[in-house]
Amino acid sequence: MLDNLKKLTSEMDVKSHFVREVANNYNLNETYILHNWFQNKWNIPADKLETIVTMAQNYLFLQTQRKQNLLIQTGFKDI
């Protein structure tokens, strides 16, 4: 599951926004979350991992939707 989270976060345009969302969700410091959960250590508590993967999936889905909407608004025609 951790590998899935790493794949998801690697696709985020602004990972710090997601880190802020996670920190707010758990009432923890953003810097702590960034350094301990999403950088070198990837030391995410096992009981929180599934929730964070779901959060990352939702975050990435919304990011993709925003890009798709922009394409449609600027006249993109589906091929």
Side-chain angles (χ1 to χ4, degrees):
M1 191 169 288
L2 186 59
D3 287 337
N4 287 342
L5 182 58
K6 288 179 180 182
K7 288 176 189 175
L8 291 166
T9 58
S10 73
E11 294 299 320
M12 293 177 182
D13 290 340
V14 185
K15 187 172 151 182
S16 63
H17 292 171
F18 176 69
V19 169
R20 183 177 306 125
E21 189 176 308
V22 172
N24 289 338
N25 187 64
Y26 290 104
N27 294 320
L28 295 170
N29 181 281
E30 285 180 49
T31 304
Y32 171 83
I33 294 291
L34 178 63
H35 292 295
N36 291 291
W37 291 15
F38 295 107
Q39 282 188 336
N40 296 334
K41 294 183 182 180
W42 288 91
N43 191 21
I44 301 169
D47 64 323
K48 294 175 176 40
L49 189 55
E50 186 174 346
T51 299
I52 294 172
V53 167
T54 300
M55 290 175 71
Q57 290 168 331
N58 290 333
Y59 184 92
L60 201 55
F61 178 81
L62 292 174
Q63 174 185 293
T64 304
Q65 270 193 322
R66 285 190 299 273
K67 290 181 178 187
Q68 183 179 25
N69 289 339
L70 177 61
L71 287 170
I72 291 168
Q73 291 169 4
T74 58
F76 175 75
K77 303 291 185 213
D78 195 0
I79 304 174

